[in-house]
Amino acid sequence: MSHDQNSSPGSLDSFGANIFPAERNSGAARLLAAIIALISWCAFIAQTDITINRLLARGGGVLEGLDRLSMYLTNLTILMSALVFTSLALSLKTPLSRFCRQPSVVSAVVAYLAFVGIAYNLLLRHLWTPTGYRALVNESLHTVVPLLAMVYWIFFVPVFHSSVKKSLLWLIYPLGYLAITLWRGAASGFYPYPFINVSTLGYPRVMLNASLLLAGFIGLMTLFIVVNHSGKPALARK
C-alpha cells in the first residue's frame, strides 16, 4: 500500500497530501525524479571509482577507498538523493520507499543538497579546478543535482505540516556527520574539509567554523519551512 495513496488523517504529511494531492504523481514529476535519480547514481558511482582508484594509486586498498568516500558530506548526501528520487520515480511499496516519499523527508534531503551546493560553491570551488571527466562529476554532485532537486521541490512536493520539534529532526544528519567526522579525523588524522581540519586549525577554530555552518543550515532550513507554509503552494499552482 503506497503512502502517496493512503495518508491517514493523523499522519505527518496528510495535511500536505490533502492540500496538494495530484502533482506529485504526475508524469512530469516522475520524469524529473527519474532524471535526478539517474544523475545522482551516476555521479555517486563515478565518484566512488575516482576515490578508490586514487587510494589504490597511493598504495591503499578498496576498503580504504570506501572509507575515504564516506567521509565526505557530498558523497553521503548524493547517495541519499539517489535513494529518495529513485523511490519517487518508481513508487515502490517497500517500507524504505514509502519513508523516502514522505514530503517532509524529501524536503529535508533537498535542503541537504542545497546546503552542499551552496557550501561548495562559496567555500571550496576555488581550491581546485577539475577538468574533463572529473569536472563533469564535480558539477553533477555540487550544482546539477542540487538545482534539479530544488526545481522538483518547488513544483512537485506537497505542502506538509511541521512543528518546531519535528523540524529539529533535520539537524540529526549534519550534527551526526560532524561528530562522526571529527571522531574519525582524530583517529586517522584525515579531515575531508579544510574548515574542520583540527590538525591545522585546532578545536576552538573548528568549533567556531562548525557553528557558523550550522547556523547557515538552520537559516536554510527555516527558509524551506517558511516557503512550505506560505509561498510554495501559490507558486506551485501557477
Side-chain angles (χ1 to χ4, degrees), residues 96-152:
L96 176 61
S97 180
R98 289 198 298 268
F99 172 78
C100 288
R101 292 200 303 274
Q102 293 183 72
S104 56
V105 174
V106 179
S107 297
V109 171
V110 174
Y112 301 148
L113 287 167
F115 179 76
V116 163
I118 292 169
Y120 175 81
N121 284 286
L122 290 181
L123 302 176
L124 299 172
R125 181 172 286 278
H126 68 282
L127 296 179
W128 74 311
T129 307
T131 58
Y133 172 64
R134 290 194 176 189
L136 177 61
V137 174
N138 187 62
E139 293 305 321
S140 297
L141 291 168
H142 298 110
T143 305
V144 177
V145 169
L147 285 176
L148 289 178
M150 283 295 302
V151 171
Y152 184 94

Side-chain angles (χ1 to χ4, degrees), residues 65-87:
L66 293 174
D67 177 73
R68 183 63 54 87
L69 180 81
S70 68
M71 292 191 74
Y72 286 89
L73 183 66
T74 295
N75 299 332
L76 297 174
T77 307
I78 210 72
L79 177 59
M80 197 180 296
S81 169
L83 293 171
V84 166
F85 283 99
T86 297
S87 297

Side-chain angles (χ1 to χ4, degrees), residues 43 91 162 187 220:
S91 293
S162 63
L220 182 64

